Amino acid sequence: MRDVAIVAFAQTDHLRRTDDLSEVEMLMPVLHQVLDATGLRTSDIGFTCSGSSDYLAGRAFSFTMALDGVGAHPPISESHVEMDGAWALYEAWVKIRTGEADTALVYAYGKSSPGEVRDVLTRQLDPYYTAPLWPDSVALAALQAQALIDAGDTDETALAAIAARSRADAAGNPHAQLSGAVEAGDYLVQPLRTGDCPPVGDGAAAVILAAGDTARALCPRPAWIRGIDHRIEAHGLGVRELTESPSARLAAERAGAFDRPVDTAELHAPFTSQEVVLRKALGLGDDVRVNPSGGALAANPMMAAGLIRLGEAAARIHRGESDRALAHATSGPCLQQNLVAVLEGESAHA
C-alpha cells in the first residue's frame, strides 16, 4: 500500500445565491485553479471522482453535466458518489492506495439556493416512520441541542460562544460566506437561534491527491493522509443517543487520530451543538485549534463542506501552520454519517 497525500486544494467564494451561474460555470474556475497549483493537465489525472446530490439539482444524473467542466473526452477513469465530496476523496484514496492510479482529482459542488434545503434534507430520513412527519434539518438539530442542554453538556451561552469564535476566525478566510460579528438572532427552533445554524449558499471545491514521490514532486509540503475511515449510526433517530457520536469516535480510532495529539481540527459541524458532540467524541481539548477557517458555520455549501474541511486542514499543512491535523465530514441528520482523516506534514512522520 502506498502513501497518499493531498497536494492541492481550491474552493469558490461561497455565496448566498449564484443565479447567474450553472453548476459547470461555478465549478470550472476551481478545477483550473487546483490543476494550475500542481502544473498538471486533465490528461495527467489517473482518476476523477465527484460528490454531489441529485436532490439539490432537481434532476437525475446531474453529475454528468459537471463532466463538461472536467473534460471527459478522450475517455477518463471517473466515478461519482451521491454524498459529500469527502466520500469521493475516500474512493480516490482507495484507488491510489491499491495502485490503480498515481493521481486523482476530487471535486464537489452544491447549489442550495434554488430550493428550500431544510425540506429537501428530509428525504434522507426513514421513509416510513420519520419522513412523513416532515421534521426539517433544523428541527432535528434542535432536538440534539436540547438533549445536550438537558444532559448538562452545554447551554445557550456556550453555543453562542462557538458561533462567535467560528465567525471571528472566518474573518481571515476570503471564501467565507459569513464572518465577523454575526448576531445571535431569533430562535429558528428552540434552543437554536439563527446564529447557531449554518448559512444557506452555493459553492464548490476540489483537491488533487497523489502517491509517494509524485506527491513530493507536485507539492513542497504534501499533506499525507495517515489514516481515514468512515462509519454510520443507526438510521432510526429513536434508537440513537443524540448526545454521543460513537461512529465519529470509531472512525477516528480506525484512522489513528488517538495515536498522537493533533494540533488542528477541521470539524464539519453545521450547527453549534454538533461541535460539542464532536469535541467530546474525538477527545479534542482546548489546546487543539478547532475550525480556524470558520468551519461550516461560516460557509456550508451542501455536498462540498466536508471536502472543504479536508482541504482546509491540508492547506494549513502545506503552509507550515500545522504538523498533524484531523479533518471530519458528516452527512445525514444529527451527525448520522461521519468520516475522519488524519493528515500530517512530512516532518511529523519522520
Side-chain angles (χ1 to χ4, degrees):
M1 294 290 187
R2 302 183 297 170
D3 287 341
V4 181
I6 297 174
V7 296
F9 166 59
Q11 61 181 311
T12 59
D13 292 340
H14 305 295
L15 305 173
R16 177 61 184 89
R17 305 194 70 89
T18 54
D19 295 338
D20 56 333
L21 297 176
S22 69
E23 284 90 343
V24 176
E25 291 169 325
M26 182 173 65
L27 190 58
M28 281 288 288
V30 173
L31 297 177
H32 285 303
Q33 185 180 344
V34 78
L35 287 167
D36 290 346
T38 59
L40 294 173
R41 298 170 297 177
T42 304
S43 58
D44 298 322
I45 299 297
F47 179 64
T48 300
C49 197
S50 60
S52 64
S53 172
D54 285 350
Y55 282 100
L56 286 180
R59 57 183 176 270
F61 299 102
S62 62
F63 73 94
T64 58
M65 296 185 63
L67 290 174
D68 291 342
V70 177
H73 184 82
I76 62 173
S77 175
E78 185 271 340
S79 184
H80 171 263
V81 298
E82 187 75 10
M83 288 284 287
D84 188 285
W87 277 262
L89 183 144
Y90 181 88
E91 181 175 341
W93 173 79
V94 171
K95 280 278 189 180
I96 296 177
R97 287 274 285 177
T98 55
E100 295 190 36
D102 289 326
T103 56
L105 169 65
V106 179
Y107 63 92
Y109 59 93
K111 293 187 69 170
S112 299
S113 59
E116 293 295 330
V117 70
R118 290 172 63 175
D119 293 335
V120 169
L121 292 177
T122 62
R123 301 300 89 199
Q124 297 174 315
L125 300 172
D126 158 60
Y128 300 107
Y129 299 104
T130 310
L133 301 175
W134 284 93
D136 65 35
S137 56
V138 178
L140 294 173
L143 286 175
Q144 187 172 42
Q146 189 61 55
L148 287 164
I149 291 172
D150 291 345
D153 290 344
T154 191
D155 55 37
E156 291 190 37
T157 301
L159 295 180
I162 291 172
R165 188 209 74 233
S166 297
R167 287 161 182 151
D169 286 344
N173 180 356
H175 306 289
Q177 184 176 336
L178 294 180
S179 62
V182 176
E183 292 184 3
D186 297 328
Y187 288 115
L188 280 182
V189 182
Q190 198 166 353
L192 294 180
R193 296 178 180 271
T194 304
D196 294 307
C197 303
V200 175
D202 304 341
V207 303
I208 289 179
L209 305 179
D213 290 339
T214 301
R216 296 183 181 93
L218 294 173
C219 179
R221 193 168 192 253
W224 298 101
I225 302 174
R226 297 306 183 197
I228 184 170
D229 193 73
H230 62 93
R231 301 284 155 167
I232 186 170
E233 306 285 352
H235 198 189
L237 291 171
V239 299
R240 293 171 52 188
E241 173 51 69
L242 295 181
T243 63
E244 307 284 346
S245 182
S247 64
R249 184 166 187 84
L250 179 57
E253 182 180 330
R254 295 292 294 268
F258 304 130
D259 294 349
R260 293 190 306 283
V262 299
D263 52 49
T264 305
E266 280 284 343
L267 304 181
H268 187 187
F271 299 91
T272 53
S273 51
Q274 292 178 349
E275 182 176 313
V276 176
V277 176
L278 290 170
R279 275 182 175 268
K280 182 169 59 171
L282 302 174
L284 301 176
D286 293 337
D287 57 330
V288 178
R289 183 82 185 277
V290 173
N291 287 343
S293 67
L297 288 166
N300 189 45
M302 295 299 299
M303 302 298 127
L307 181 63
I308 290 169
R309 306 281 69 76
L310 286 141
E312 289 282 7
R316 289 183 66 80
I317 289 174
H318 295 162
R319 297 191 298 264
E321 298 170 5
S322 172
D323 290 321
R324 181 173 161 87
L326 180 149
H328 162 268
T330 192
S331 186
C334 302
L335 302 171
Q336 184 184 45
Q337 301 166 53
N338 294 282
L339 179 148
V340 176
V342 175
L343 309 178
E344 287 185 351
E346 196 87 55
S347 60
H349 185 63

